[in-house]
Amino acid sequence: MRRLRQLAQRTPPGRERYIDLLRAVAIAMVVLGHWGVTAIGYDDGRPAGHSALADLRWAWPLTWVAQVMPVFFLVGGYANAASLTSRRRRGGSATGWLVDRSARLVRPTTVLLLVLAAGAGIATLRGADATQVRAVVWFATIPLWFLVAYVAVVALTPPMYALHRRFGLAVPVVLVVLVALGDLGRLLGPAVLADGNYLLGWLAVHQLGFAWYDAARPDTRAEHAGPRGLFRRGLPLSRRAGALLLGGGLVALVLLTTAGPYPVAMLHVPGERLDNAAPPSLALMAAAAAQLGLILLLRRPAGRWLRRSGPWQAVLAVNAVVLTLFLWHLTAAVLLVGLLDALGVLPTPPVGSAAWWAWRVPWLLALAAVLAVLVAVFGPVEARTRRPAATGPAGVGRRRLRAGLALAGYAGVLVGLLLNSLAPKTAPEPLGLPAPALVAYLAGAGLLRLLRAGREDRPD
């Protein structure tokens, strides 16, 4: 508590505290949403989880708010633009920024993968079926689907921010148009055209985070007040702009999900023709616009509330371990289900029944307790990550070599995460993870770690 008070007191006056609140709220909603919508049953005598949304059609419109990944990418765009600009202002390079930015993402993820692989290996040695081991680890690593896209947009931040500085809001508009073209591929064929939406959709929202940062910078507000239109670099932050985005996004969303071909749910629902989130669809882009409008409408009252010490300390506490919360929340579900099943007291009421609803509260409380233990154990890995001040770039040749190695490290991490997420959950994997995925990920993470240890940009 004392450390939190000190951090709160040292907060710069110009910090956009609302961004930190949005990040904390977004991850909390993801965690509670996954836990709340999970239905547990038995498959061939073994516990299995699935989404309850297919049985709760009335709840589909609620996903327009509950699908908060756009909020996280919006916040990520703001934070990445702020830290990259700060690094360059102090004489650092984009490569040094990429290397240091990877630490907060890669270190907690590496711990998760190594712990899961070790646990799976022990279970296999003790006679567990390798197919079942893979199914359990696959469920625990579902959050890595999101991390694939986020690591990619972080790696692309330097060139995409340069595009933003040149073309402003025209960039996300073009990206949304490309998302719409990808959707045509899903509807009319070939479906492979939509694969690019996994990156294009999230890049579009990430670019809006850049625009928010530029609009909020005290030193450049006058510059970003013009030009007007699509080439404007600053995002309008007024309540009027928020109302227009909220209203326009909702109208577009209603039309796309009623007269158009898109499902109402913004989360995956088994059996639906399209999935609005995997990959991101035009309907999800409309939902993101509406969410941004609501965020702008709440910006001023939330900012006043965050000036109070108590709320701001709570936000700081969550943000110190926000990725740990996200990465481990489904592992907490695996552990709790396994424990209750071993004790013979695992409730499996039908979805939507009175018993199922009554079980939601103790289920969430028990999961929160398990996750609290996991965060206490693994949270320090994230909370203690340091971002050094940077000065003194090296020669041109060394900078190019480091840039290539940094991109290779990111590529290894991305390939490893992708191979794990794309591998079938029914494949027998003694370590729970495909060996090529683990090797590629660890190679990329190790390379980034070596670059951080010998970085060109030394702390002041």
Side-chain angles (χ1 to χ4, degrees), residues 179 182-183 186 191 193-199 201-202 274-282 284:
V179 168
D183 282 355
R186 282 203 280 183
L193 290 177
D195 288 348
N197 287 9
Y198 280 106
L199 180 61
W202 298 128
L274 295 177
D275 186 339
N276 281 316
S281 69
L282 185 60
L284 185 57

Side-chain angles (χ1 to χ4, degrees), residues 2-21:
R2 180 180 178 184
R3 182 172 177 271
L4 283 176
R5 284 196 297 271
Q6 291 174 343
L7 287 174
Q9 292 168 358
R10 292 200 299 264
T11 302
R15 184 183 181 95
E16 182 72 88
R17 301 185 183 198
Y18 191 32
I19 291 292
D20 299 275
L21 173 65

Side-chain angles (χ1 to χ4, degrees), residues 31-285:
V31 171
L32 293 175
H34 280 168
W35 287 351
V37 82
T38 298
I40 304 297
Y42 280 93
D43 185 6
D44 293 330
R46 292 170 176 166
H50 67 276
S51 172
L53 278 178
D55 300 306
L56 301 172
R57 296 181 65 91
W58 59 267
W60 291 4
L62 299 180
T63 63
W64 295 4
V65 176
Q67 170 54 281
V68 289
M69 281 299 100
V71 178
F72 194 87
F73 278 90
L74 174 72
V75 169
Y78 184 105
N80 289 330
S83 60
L84 177 61
T85 301
S86 175
R87 171 63 67 104
R88 283 175 165 163
R89 188 182 296 124
R90 290 177 286 130
S93 66
T95 300
W97 177 84
L98 278 174
V99 170
D100 286 331
R101 201 67 171 169
S102 70
R104 191 71 183 265
L105 295 171
V106 172
R107 288 181 63 189
T109 307
T110 301
V111 171
L112 172 72
L113 293 177
L114 290 178
V115 170
L116 290 177
I122 292 171
T124 301
L125 290 175
R126 293 176 63 87
D129 178 65
T131 302
Q132 182 65 17
V133 167
R134 168 59 182 165
V136 171
V137 173
W138 178 88
F139 183 82
T141 56
I142 286 176
L144 298 184
W145 263 116
F146 151 79
L147 205 61
V148 170
Y150 190 70
V151 169
V153 299
V154 169
L156 291 172
T157 290
M160 293 307 295
Y161 189 59
L163 281 176
H164 164 74
R165 296 287 294 172
R166 184 173 179 84
F167 299 110
L169 294 174
V171 179
V173 170
V174 170
L175 290 169
V176 169
V177 170
L178 293 176
V179 168
L181 293 176
D183 282 355
L184 284 178
R186 282 203 280 183
L187 294 167
L188 305 176
V192 69
L193 290 177
D195 288 348
N197 287 9
Y198 280 106
L199 180 61
L200 297 173
W202 298 128
L203 273 176
V205 183
H206 198 249
Q207 293 292 127
L208 293 176
F210 294 165
W212 185 342
Y213 170 69
D214 274 5
R217 290 171 63 188
D219 56 330
T220 56
R221 265 181 208 153
E223 173 190 351
H224 299 304
R228 298 189 178 276
L230 290 183
F231 291 92
R232 179 187 179 120
R233 291 195 291 270
L235 181 71
L237 300 178
S238 65
R239 291 180 61 84
R240 181 173 178 271
L244 288 173
L245 281 169
L246 177 59
L250 286 176
V251 169
L253 193 51
V254 169
L255 291 175
L256 289 170
T257 56
T258 54
Y262 296 93
V264 173
M266 293 298 115
L267 299 170
H268 173 68
V269 177
E272 287 294 303
R273 181 185 179 189
L274 295 177
D275 186 339
N276 281 316
S281 69
L282 185 60
L284 185 57
M285 296 297 97

Side-chain angles (χ1 to χ4, degrees), residues 352-371:
S353 65
W356 189 79
W357 285 110
W359 171 232
R360 292 302 87 188
V361 173
W363 167 248
L364 292 176
L365 291 176
L367 285 170
V370 176
L371 183 58

